[in-house]
């Protein structure tokens, strides 16, 4: 990372650059001899009372004492993607929301309040995609009251790490006492290579609705009530994949879900029974669903994976999926 101009370190950012992506260098605490500088890259979300706040693409907020800065500059809003389909955050946010729809929703300006009996944070969180029509503090309070009326914890889903994402909103949530609980990556890839994976798909059965066997493998609920089935069945064109288990066992060896929405195919709920792992079944499920999505005209793929799921991240790396942005669920502390 280069900050020098004519052999000098320069601070070329000011409070007027709040909202821009910046790169800064600061002295370490204590300023010990021989200690290395620390570099931070992210969106400048505030500069108040001698403290500079930067939100990294991971969603982490970094607070830096202004007097410790030795260099800083504005950098491009987001690095150019090297692979995968072109996609904006707004497009992906809309596509991913249509693939996992709530049972109940209500607008709050350009935000959307969503509820589904508590089944998954995605279907039970506010989705902010514009102006809520209220000062942010009032909007946060309205979100809390709306979920309290339904006996649900209040969540707001935000995104970081791409052009047009919501680093400033994340910083405001933290300032009002909200905290991140879960972070996941939204990954994208070209769809054809997923369909071309070397996988045996002969044992993969595709259906339009989940049957009892499919539901018995899915791990996100204890009893599949109507709200669960509503969410699972939501989306423009939904497919469920099942690989049967051993004879005499009701639960499948593997399952998956795919939603086809225009050029996009979204993959969710890919699960393999522990005793059947490392046999390529997840790859078979993905390939079978991708081929069906290609037949329906899709050309791009997306999925979501939590940051601590190393096994799934490695699997999707091998299929060509690359991180586009991260999303977070904030909850009042």
């Amino acid at each position: 990372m280069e900050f020098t101009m004519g052999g000098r370190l320069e601070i070329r950012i000011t409070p007027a650059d709040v909202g821009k992506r910046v790169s800064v260098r600061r002295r370490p605490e204590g300023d010990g001899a021989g200690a290395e500088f620390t570099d931070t890259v992210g969106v400048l979300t505030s500069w108040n009372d001698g403290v500079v706040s930067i939100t990294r693409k991971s969603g982490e907020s970094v607070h830096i004492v202004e007097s410790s800065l030795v260099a800083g500059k504005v950098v491009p809003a987001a690095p150019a993607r090297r692979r995968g389909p072109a996609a904006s955050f707004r497009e992906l946010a809309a596509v991913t929301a249509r693939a996992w729809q709530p049972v109940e929703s209500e607008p709050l300006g350009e935000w959307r309040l969503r509820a589904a009996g508590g089944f998954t944070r995605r279907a039970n969180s506010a989705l902010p995609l514009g102006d809520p029509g209220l000062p942010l503090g009032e909007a946060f309070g309205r979100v809390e009251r709306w979920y309290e009326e339904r006996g649900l914890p209040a969540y707001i889903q935000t995104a970081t790490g791409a052009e047009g994402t919501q680093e400033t909103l994340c910083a405001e949530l933290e300032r009002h006492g909200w905290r991140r609980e879960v972070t996941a990556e939204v990954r994208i890839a070209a769809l054809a290579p997923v369909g071309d994976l070397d996988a045996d798909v002969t044992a993969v059965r595709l259906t339009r609705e989940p049957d009892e066997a499919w539901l018995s493998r899915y791990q996100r609920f204890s009893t599949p009530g109507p709200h669960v089935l509503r969410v699972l069945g939501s989306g423009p064109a939904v497919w469920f994949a099942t690989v049967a288990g051993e004879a005499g066992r009701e639960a499948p060896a593997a399952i998956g879900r795919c939603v086809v929405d225009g050029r996009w195919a979204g993959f969710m709920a890919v699960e393999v029974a522990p005793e059947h792992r490392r046999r390529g079944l997840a790859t078979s499920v993905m390939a079978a669903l991708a081929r069906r999505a290609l037949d329906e005209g899709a050309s791009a793929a997306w999925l979501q994976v939590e940051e601590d799921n190393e096994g799934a991240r490695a699997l999707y790396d091998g299929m060509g999926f690359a991180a586009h942005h991260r999303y977070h669920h904030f909850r009042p502390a």
Side-chain angles (χ1 to χ4, degrees):
M1 189 180 300
E2 183 59 62
F3 289 99
T4 60
M5 175 178 289
R8 292 179 290 112
L9 293 170
E10 292 189 344
I11 300 175
R12 289 181 274 155
I13 57 173
T14 72
D17 293 314
V18 168
K20 298 179 182 178
R21 189 168 181 263
V22 300
S23 177
V24 303
R25 176 168 290 176
R26 69 183 188 271
R27 291 187 300 272
E29 293 183 9
D31 198 19
E36 295 183 355
F37 291 118
T38 300
D39 296 327
T40 303
V41 178
V43 173
L44 180 62
T45 47
S46 68
W47 190 330
N48 297 313
D49 301 323
V51 177
V52 176
S53 297
I54 294 174
T55 301
R56 291 174 166 158
K57 66 179 181 180
S58 64
E60 175 192 6
S61 293
V62 179
H63 306 289
I64 302 169
V65 177
E66 179 182 348
S67 60
S68 71
L69 290 177
V70 296
K73 62 182 179 182
V74 175
V75 295
R81 291 193 49 78
R82 290 186 172 85
R83 56 176 176 164
S88 69
F89 162 66
R90 293 284 299 198
E91 178 186 9
L92 276 172
V95 168
T96 57
R98 285 195 294 268
W100 199 261
Q101 297 176 25
V103 174
E104 177 188 6
S105 68
E106 180 180 315
L108 178 63
E110 295 178 293
W111 292 17
R112 176 65 57 176
L113 306 176
R114 306 174 295 179
F119 173 57
T120 72
R121 291 181 182 86
R122 276 184 288 162
N124 292 271
S125 57
L127 183 65
L129 293 178
D131 184 355
L134 299 169
L136 282 179
E138 294 181 28
F140 298 158
R142 173 65 184 127
V143 170
E144 289 193 68
R145 291 191 296 275
W146 194 84
Y147 285 99
E148 183 179 5
E149 290 166 1
R150 288 153 181 80
L152 297 170
Y155 286 104
I156 295 178
Q157 179 179 315
T158 66
T160 59
E163 187 172 2
T165 47
Q166 300 159 319
E167 285 82 357
T168 300
L169 177 59
C170 292
E172 283 298 308
L173 282 163
E174 290 189 350
R175 193 170 69 83
H176 283 80
W178 293 59
R179 296 292 179 263
R180 284 187 302 144
E181 278 198 355
V182 176
T183 291
E185 286 182 343
V186 176
R187 292 187 167 206
I188 62 176
L191 183 61
V194 182
D196 288 340
L197 290 168
D198 184 12
D200 180 6
V201 300
T202 58
V204 182
R205 179 172 61 92
L206 300 182
T207 59
R208 283 294 193 181
E209 296 181 353
D211 57 18
E212 290 186 8
W214 193 99
L215 293 169
S216 70
R217 172 56 55 204
Y218 189 50
Q219 300 297 310
R220 290 300 184 98
F221 58 83
S222 55
T223 303
H227 59 291
V228 173
L229 298 177
R230 282 273 299 275
V231 175
L232 288 173
S234 64
V238 188
W239 288 98
F240 296 88
T242 305
V243 178
E246 297 176 1
R249 293 192 178 184
E250 180 180 351
I255 59 170
R257 177 179 182 265
C258 179
V259 177
V260 183
D261 184 355
R263 72 180 181 122
W264 290 101
F267 296 86
M268 291 143 277
V270 178
E271 297 187 8
V272 179
E275 65 271 21
H276 291 286
R277 290 174 184 166
R278 302 187 182 280
R279 292 171 48 187
L281 294 185
T283 301
S284 295
V285 165
M286 292 284 292
L289 290 169
R291 293 174 193 181
R292 181 55 57 92
L294 287 164
D295 289 342
E296 295 194 355
S299 59
W302 67 267
L303 53 80
Q304 297 165 323
V305 58
E306 291 188 3
E307 284 195 322
D308 60 357
N309 192 340
E310 295 297 334
R313 287 160 60 91
L315 174 70
Y316 299 138
D317 282 344
M319 294 181 181
F321 283 90
H324 183 276
H325 65 271
R326 290 173 173 83
Y327 76 88
H328 321 276
H329 282 107
F330 279 80
R331 184 177 178 179

